[in-house]
Amino acid sequence: MDKASLSYGQTIDALKAMQNAKKSYGEIVQEGTDMYHRLCQEMYNEVSKTNGDEYYTPAELELIRLERDTWSLVRALYIDKNEPPTTSATPQALLQRNPYTPTVAIVQRVMDHEPTLQRLLTVVNWLHDTAPAASTSTHQSGYRRRTQREIVGARQAGQARAGLPKSLDPDALNRESGVSLYPDDAAAEASLSYDLFRLVRAGRLNEALSVAADAGHPWLAAVLHGSRPFQWTAVTSRDAGADSESEANASTAGWQGNKRRKLWREACLQAAASPTYPPATRALYASLCLTSRSIPAVTPLLRTWEDHLWARVEMLLTERIADWLDHLGGFWENGMKASDPQSSAKLQDLPDENQWLGDVDKLVREMGNVRVEEGAASDNAFHFAQLHLVLGNVNGLLDQVASTCTSRAEQDSREPVPTPAVDVILNEYIRLLETDPSSGPLVALYVGALGESAVE
């Protein structure tokens, strides 16, 4: 039995089992999505082996990966979308009760009450989960060793070493003009920055912290750690129904994260724009706080379509949350005056939500024309589907696919195609299945489901 026949057999068995169980529509969609994702993963794992070239070309293998990742996105957004509506307090009410509420709790309330932010966060997590494994180089432990030897040697000889900094702290290159590290050290730091950037891109911050520390750059590990938002459960206002046990356990550890994240973010933005840093280092700093100011520093290192989508969605997410925090006030983000209800301190107005939603739509749709260096192009059908899923435009996706199928059917001079989008797509899928003799039982199942809407 070939792999196509095996896949058809697994599909029809799973669909029949769901049909006989008489489950609800939501359960069928959920289990069906899981099934297709699992089948794609199993097929991808199988053909990725040494003998996979007997059945699939690299381009076909890429299509299997894209389909697997698309089902993964459907699954993530479906689960997120069907969670019960939040009943938690608004961020304004939370700060009114306690102006010292930590940043994590405020951001969570903002997420609870702005569904588009929840969707974007789901997309970022999906892009982290589906990112290729970041292969890091072996970095020798030590901090600017060759530069240090050159400086020490010159001082012992009573000579000045032209072109090298006078000190070796991380900011030395920014303070002194016309100096640089010894070439070996400069290349090593550029390589380390690139590997750390790929780990941040994949959402593997803990691993990035370990790599930086092991390479003898604890200050860089501290910069990475600054991306963690401030949380302190002991002073967080508790909502009704909260998990008191987990909160009690968290409170025993004291506060965690960055209490001065606003200052840290501005420092990262300035570092991302500094011409004294190599491109990989600027990209690393920019990736930690992606905004319209820092995204140009990241762009040269974005190679795949997914990389570009990650940068744009992360930027939209970061800027919207920053706008909310500036608007809400609170002690940890805006200081004592902003946390005082009697203060006349002027808080920043929150940008209009409709305007922001328009920016989201515009930036995501522009992904249809992005040029990529690796992987599938931006006009790939799976990328087209993913964009509509990101925007929450499933009906628009079905209508456009149905319109394409209808145009093809008319060109073939076949019988009129039924108008409902789902029926159009299923009929076109049945036609494709009919070209494979082994898919007969699956064709019969789909034809039976369409009933009178099936095209003979």
Side-chain angles (χ1 to χ4, degrees):
M1 179 180 292
D2 61 24
K3 297 185 183 301
S5 300
L6 179 62
S7 176
Y8 290 143
Q10 292 174 318
T11 302
I12 193 169
D13 289 344
L15 290 176
K16 284 183 175 179
M18 285 186 282
Q19 188 179 50
N20 294 334
K22 297 182 179 180
K23 296 185 177 182
S24 66
Y25 172 77
E27 291 175 321
I28 291 176
V29 171
Q30 181 60 52
E31 292 186 16
T33 301
D34 290 342
M35 175 193 69
Y36 287 120
H37 177 269
R38 184 179 66 256
L39 288 176
C40 290
Q41 183 63 59
E42 291 173 354
M43 185 178 295
Y44 185 83
N45 292 340
E46 181 65 25
V47 301
S48 295
K49 298 178 182 178
T50 305
N51 62 351
D53 293 340
E54 299 177 14
Y55 302 97
Y56 294 94
T57 65
E60 291 171 328
L61 184 62
E62 174 70 359
L63 287 177
I64 297 174
R65 182 193 69 80
L66 286 169
E67 182 176 357
R68 177 202 64 189
D69 292 350
T70 303
W71 284 116
S72 177
L73 179 60
V74 171
R75 182 173 60 178
L77 291 174
Y78 177 83
I79 294 171
D80 183 62
K81 186 175 181 180
N82 283 271
E83 290 180 349
T86 180
T87 57
S88 63
T90 65
Q92 294 89 341
L94 198 64
L95 279 170
Q96 188 174 12
R97 289 202 302 264
N98 182 4
Y100 298 97
T101 299
T103 307
V104 164
I106 299 173
V107 172
Q108 184 57 58
R109 295 304 181 275
V110 170
M111 289 280 186
D112 289 344
H113 293 273
E114 195 157 287
T116 301
L117 275 176
Q118 293 181 354
R119 176 171 290 273
L120 293 181
L121 180 61
T122 300
V123 172
V124 168
N125 290 334
W126 167 72
L127 288 164
H128 287 164
D129 294 340
T130 57
S135 57
T136 57
S137 307
T138 301
H139 300 282
Q140 183 177 359
S141 178
Y143 179 71
R144 300 179 175 179
R145 289 181 173 181
R146 188 60 187 272
T147 305
Q148 181 181 5
R149 287 201 297 268
E150 293 292 326
I151 293 175
V152 171
R155 287 181 178 178
Q156 290 175 343
Q159 300 174 351
R161 182 65 165 85
L164 293 179
K166 296 179 180 178
S167 58
L168 289 174
D169 63 272
D171 294 324
L173 299 180
N174 284 328
R175 290 197 312 271
E176 305 176 40
S177 60
V179 297
S180 60
L181 299 177
Y182 195 83
D184 290 352
D185 291 339
E189 291 199 0
S191 174
L192 175 62
S193 294
Y194 179 78
D195 286 347
L196 293 176
F197 167 79
R198 297 310 308 179
L199 288 171
V200 171
R201 155 67 184 93
R204 294 158 61 182
L205 183 62
N206 288 335
E207 188 172 342
L209 289 169
S210 298
V211 170
D214 293 343
H217 289 69
W219 62 273
L220 191 51
V223 171
L224 293 168
H225 197 276
S227 63
R228 298 186 184 279
F230 175 63
Q231 55 182 325
W232 194 355
T233 311
V235 296
T236 300
S237 297
R238 297 185 178 184
D239 291 335
D243 187 346
S244 57
E245 182 178 354
S246 62
E247 288 189 349
N249 292 336
S251 66
T252 59
W255 63 268
Q256 300 176 6
N258 188 350
K259 290 191 294 184
R260 298 291 181 265
R261 198 165 184 271
K262 193 171 184 178
L263 176 62
W264 167 88
R265 185 172 65 239
E266 182 59 33
C268 285
L269 290 172
Q270 292 189 22
S274 174
T276 61
Y277 288 123
T281 303
R282 292 199 299 270
L284 173 61
Y285 281 114
S287 68
L288 299 174
C289 53
L290 275 170
T291 69
S292 55
R293 286 173 54 188
S294 62
I295 200 169
V298 166
T299 303
L301 269 64
L302 304 179
R303 309 188 66 82
T304 66
W305 185 88
E306 290 82 1
D307 286 345
H308 285 274
L309 181 62
W310 163 78
R312 290 179 182 231
V313 176
E314 185 75 47
M315 179 187 72
L316 290 166
L317 194 63
T318 300
E319 291 190 330
R320 184 62 176 175
I321 290 175
D323 288 341
W324 263 105
L325 292 175
D326 288 340
H327 169 70
L328 291 169
F331 175 77
W332 301 108
E333 287 289 323
N334 295 281
M336 184 62 73
K337 289 185 178 180
S339 67
D340 184 0
Q342 305 300 322
S343 173
S344 59
K346 176 69 174 177
L347 295 175
Q348 179 176 310
D349 291 335
L350 183 68
D352 180 70
E353 183 177 4
N354 290 330
Q355 177 183 344
W356 178 69
L357 291 175
D359 292 339
V360 172
D361 186 83
K362 177 177 179 293
L363 284 172
V364 173
R365 289 187 185 278
E366 286 177 353
M367 285 296 304
N369 300 312
V370 166
R371 296 180 60 183
V372 301
E373 297 183 29
E374 295 178 4
S378 58
D379 60 354
N380 180 275
F382 286 110
H383 287 160
F384 175 79
Q386 290 165 4
L387 285 184
H388 281 273
L389 291 170
V390 170
L391 293 171
N393 187 26
V394 176
N395 289 336
L397 170 63
L398 294 177
D399 288 341
Q400 291 204 38
V401 174
S403 176
T404 302
C405 294
T406 301
S407 299
R408 291 176 179 174
E410 291 174 350
Q411 292 173 3
D412 293 339
S413 300
R414 295 180 178 176
E415 296 183 12
V417 183
T419 53
V422 175
D423 290 353
V424 173
I425 296 170
L426 286 178
N427 271 297
E428 185 66 17
Y429 182 51
I430 289 171
R431 291 194 184 97
L432 293 174
L433 289 175
E434 287 174 337
T435 62
D436 189 331
S438 64
S439 66
L442 193 58
V443 170
L445 186 65
Y446 279 117
V447 170
L450 280 172
E452 295 180 356
S453 298
V455 177
E456 295 182 2

